[in-house]
């Protein structure tokens, strides 16, 4: 069996050797943690980083890069970078990375959203130096080889494309984003099977793009369960090989601000029926157009109960009780400079059609002020709980904080988010609902188009 010592570089500092070679009987909570949910931020050598020292024996570490589908310069590049994470680097093979991580009992992960690419690891707290080095190596020394692209990366991307074909709700969400934002945020989260991806996605183009995606101004390092000074020390040592700026011969990442358009799209499908009724929303907390009343409105509309055996207080759960075959949910997708408030309806074509009409009626009821103060109060409490829970959640908190550092230079602080939602008034919620109805909506229907209604038939302007 490979010893822990063999996982380290021969020339490593003695301090790091001591960190990695401590006997297992000394493992524990390490030093006392502050217990605060606020992030400390810093910058070392041009690399932005943030940490919060939560008590516990494990650490979660992630590199959050501004390299989601919104920013990819060609189709499939966000998927390509995600799938190449933890493949062979110029220092070690993918097999070695896998075996070493297994010996340390760690978990490795990579995923992308519309704006971010997140490469992360969960591990024992004492193994921080090894995994900081590994993530620094992944983003700066990955070998983008042709055989790995053809044998391991493209097959996984194609499987994801096939899986997407049968998911009408995911197709409707992608459609709604495309109609609402066109390019940028409108780019599908995963390329469809008809996307001419293979003519763009090759190992040379992907390697060139990685130098722009992983340039120092374009990513941040975020950790939970680590001392701030320790993270600063190891980031300063192991992230020196990332370029200070994107190479001049690589096309610049498009930073055009998002613009909401609205409209309607209908896609015939025989695997199910889904509709998305969407409206312009709020940016994330660290963005310039943050509107906490949108989160309260989303909770007020709702659709799903958080209490077992109860339909809940939300307007949509009450308005659509007559449609047990329809699954209705209100979500708010917040991005760095825009947002999309989405009401999704999924089920049989007849029930989706009828429920969509009652959804619009419920929204008009809010705009007309026909909701009680108690309902608004419940919505504020629910919105605050969801926001705080999301920020407290380690995975979500890492991405939100990293994205905030890269986009606006500040971390996502959940305490401040809670205060913002607490300050929302009944009048703000009513005005927000009225503004949505007065503007252009985004409506996407996927399924039996003979039955599913047009936007005008349910009372929405597109």
């Amino acid at each position: 069996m490979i010893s822990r010592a063999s996982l380290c570089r021969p020339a490593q500092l003695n301090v790091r050797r001591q960190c990695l070679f401590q006997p297992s009987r000394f493992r524990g909570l390490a030093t006392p943690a502050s217990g605060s949910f606020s992030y400390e931020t810093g910058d070392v050598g041009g690399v932005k980083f943030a940490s919060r020292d939560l008590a516990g024996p494990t650490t979660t570490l992630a590199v959050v890069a501004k390299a989601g589908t919104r920013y990819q310069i060609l189709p499939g590049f966000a998927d390509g970078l995600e799938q190449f994470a933890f493949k062979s680097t110029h220092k070690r093979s993918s097999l070695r990375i896998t075996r070493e991580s297994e010996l340390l009992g760690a978990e490795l992960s990579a995923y992308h959203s519309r704006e971010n690419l997140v490469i992360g690891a969960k591990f024992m707290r004492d193994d921080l130096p090894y995994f900081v080095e590994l993530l620094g190596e992944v983003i700066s020394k990955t070998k983008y080889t042709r055989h790995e692209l053809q044998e391991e990366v493209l097959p996984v991307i194609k499987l994801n494309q096939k899986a997407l074909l049968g998911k009408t709700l995911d197709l409707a969400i992608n459609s709604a984003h495309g109609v609402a934002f066109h390019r940028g945020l409108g780019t599908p989260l995963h390329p469809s099977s008809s996307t001419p991806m293979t003519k763009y996605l090759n190992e040379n183009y992907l390697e060139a793009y990685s130098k722009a995606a992983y340039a120092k101004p374009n990513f941040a390092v975020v950790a939970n369960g680590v001392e701030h000074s320790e993270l600063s020390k190891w980031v300063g040592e192991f992230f020196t090989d990332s370029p200070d700026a994107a190479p001049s011969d690589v096309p610049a990442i498009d930073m055009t601000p998002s613009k909401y358009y609205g409209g309607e799209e209908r896609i015939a499908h025989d695997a199910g029926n889904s509709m998305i009724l969407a409206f312009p929303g709020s940016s994330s907390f660290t963005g310039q157009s943050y509107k906490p009343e949108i989160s309260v409105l989303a909770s007020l509309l709702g659709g799903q109960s958080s209490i077992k055996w109860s339909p809940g207080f939300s307007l949509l759960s009450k308005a659509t009780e007559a449609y047990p075959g329809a699954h209705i949910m209100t979500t708010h997708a917040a991005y760095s400079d825009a947002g999309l408030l989405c009401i999704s309806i999924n089920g049989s074509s007849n029930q989706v059609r009828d429920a969509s009409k009652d959804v619009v009626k419920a929204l008009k009821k809010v705009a007309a002020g026909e909701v009680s103060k108690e309902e608004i109060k419940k919505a504020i409490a629910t919105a605050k709980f969801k926001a705080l829970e999301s920020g407290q959640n380690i995975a979500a908190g890492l991405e939100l904080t990293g994205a905030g550092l890269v986009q606006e230079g500040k971390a996502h602080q959940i305490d401040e988010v809670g205060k913002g939602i607490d300050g929302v008034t009944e009048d703000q919620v009513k005005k927000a609902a009225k503004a949505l109805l007065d503007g252009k909506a985004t409506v996407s229907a996927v399924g039996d188009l003979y039955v599913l209604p047009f936007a005008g038939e349910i009372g929405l302007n597109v």
Side-chain angles (χ1 to χ4, degrees):
M1 176 179 270
I2 302 175
S3 67
R4 190 178 287 267
S6 66
L7 306 184
C8 305
R9 297 181 307 168
Q12 276 184 329
L13 299 173
N14 290 332
V15 175
R16 186 178 172 216
R17 289 183 182 277
Q18 293 170 5
C19 291
L20 290 177
F21 303 153
Q22 284 182 353
S24 60
R25 68 176 181 274
F26 292 119
R27 283 197 186 277
L29 301 185
T31 57
S34 66
S36 171
F37 286 108
S38 296
Y39 282 91
E40 289 186 72
T41 61
D43 187 301
V44 55
V47 178
K48 295 176 284 293
F49 67 96
S51 68
R52 57 183 181 186
D53 194 5
L54 300 181
T58 63
T59 295
T60 305
L61 177 73
V63 170
V64 182
K66 190 169 60 179
T69 51
R70 172 181 180 174
Y71 300 109
Q72 63 185 9
I73 57 177
L74 290 172
F77 274 34
D79 290 80
L81 286 186
E82 174 192 331
Q83 297 303 327
F84 259 109
F86 304 110
K87 294 291 189 289
S88 298
T89 70
H90 289 285
K91 295 185 66 175
R92 50 190 132 191
S93 67
S94 59
L95 178 62
R96 178 181 169 185
I97 291 173
T98 299
R99 292 292 180 262
E100 290 178 351
S101 299
E102 288 175 340
L103 285 170
L104 296 177
E107 296 179 9
L108 305 178
S109 63
Y111 71 90
H112 74 272
S113 60
R114 294 188 186 275
E115 290 196 303
N116 307 304
L117 172 64
V118 183
I119 301 173
K122 297 180 182 179
F123 47 88
M124 299 301 290
R125 191 177 179 115
D126 292 335
D127 296 327
L128 177 67
Y130 173 82
F131 287 98
V132 175
E133 180 183 16
L134 178 60
L135 293 194
E137 185 179 318
V138 165
I139 69 172
S140 62
K141 293 184 173 64
T142 291
K143 292 195 295 186
Y144 295 89
T145 59
R146 184 171 182 80
H147 74 274
E148 285 183 313
L149 176 67
Q150 297 293 333
E151 297 172 11
E152 299 182 24
V153 173
L154 285 177
V156 174
I157 294 177
K158 290 177 181 178
L159 285 174
N160 290 337
Q161 290 177 316
K162 290 181 180 179
L164 180 64
L165 285 175
K167 299 177 180 178
T168 57
L169 185 57
D170 288 346
L171 290 172
I173 291 172
N174 277 335
S175 168
H177 277 80
V179 171
F181 299 112
H182 293 184
R183 300 184 184 275
L185 288 174
T187 305
L189 194 56
H190 298 285
S192 65
S193 57
S194 58
T195 301
M197 185 181 60
T198 52
K199 76 176 186 179
Y200 299 114
L201 192 58
N202 66 55
E203 65 278 8
N204 296 321
Y205 288 172
L206 199 57
E207 182 175 9
Y209 173 62
S210 73
K211 291 179 170 57
Y214 296 138
K216 288 181 180 179
N218 211 58
F219 73 87
V221 182
V222 190
N224 273 276
V226 61
E227 291 183 11
H228 192 69
S229 58
E230 281 294 296
L231 182 63
S232 175
K233 174 184 177 181
W234 299 119
V235 168
E237 179 173 344
F238 295 124
F239 279 81
T240 56
D241 293 328
S242 297
D244 293 327
S248 58
D249 58 344
V250 176
I253 294 176
D254 189 0
M255 300 298 295
T256 304
S258 299
K259 180 182 177 181
Y260 178 83
Y261 295 91
E264 183 172 17
E265 184 174 32
R266 295 166 63 80
I267 303 171
H269 207 290
D270 64 355
N273 300 277
S274 298
M275 280 191 76
I276 298 290
L277 312 182
F279 306 88
S282 162
S283 71
S284 61
F285 169 73
T286 54
Q288 298 295 321
S289 55
Y290 175 61
K291 301 174 184 176
E293 60 268 25
I294 296 295
S295 296
V296 176
L297 178 59
S299 295
L300 180 62
L301 292 172
Q304 284 188 312
S305 174
S306 58
I307 309 297
K308 192 174 183 180
W309 311 124
S310 168
F313 74 92
S314 70
L315 300 182
L316 296 187
S317 63
K318 295 175 182 177
T320 58
E321 281 184 300
Y323 313 110
H327 182 268
I328 303 170
M329 180 172 60
T330 305
T331 57
H332 177 239
Y335 304 107
S336 61
D337 61 354
L340 199 64
L341 179 68
C342 298
I343 303 171
S344 61
I345 313 170
N346 195 52
S348 66
S349 56
N350 289 327
Q351 296 222 336
V352 170
R353 176 195 61 199
D354 296 338
S356 65
K357 297 176 182 177
D358 285 345
V359 166
V360 177
K361 289 179 182 177
L363 188 56
K364 290 181 177 179
K365 183 179 177 182
V366 180
E370 298 173 5
V371 290
S372 67
K373 290 184 178 180
E374 183 181 354
E375 288 173 317
I376 297 288
K377 186 177 180 180
K378 289 178 180 179
I380 290 174
T382 302
K384 181 179 179 180
F385 170 77
K386 289 180 178 179
L388 295 180
E389 182 191 36
S390 176
Q392 184 178 337
N393 177 276
I394 290 178
L398 288 173
E399 182 178 356
L400 288 170
T401 299
L405 281 176
V406 175
Q407 299 280 1
E408 301 292 338
K410 59 182 180 180
H412 179 88
Q413 305 292 12
I414 61 176
D415 294 339
E416 296 177 28
V417 175
K419 291 177 183 177
I421 294 175
D422 270 337
V424 173
T425 64
E426 182 179 349
D427 190 51
Q428 283 179 302
V429 177
K430 294 174 184 177
K431 285 182 178 178
K434 188 176 186 306
L436 299 186
L437 289 172
D438 290 342
K440 290 183 66 176
T442 294
V443 178
S444 294
V446 179
D448 184 355
L449 301 185
Y450 179 75
V451 178
L452 296 181
F454 285 86
E457 295 174 347
I458 59 177
L460 290 177
N461 301 317
V462 292

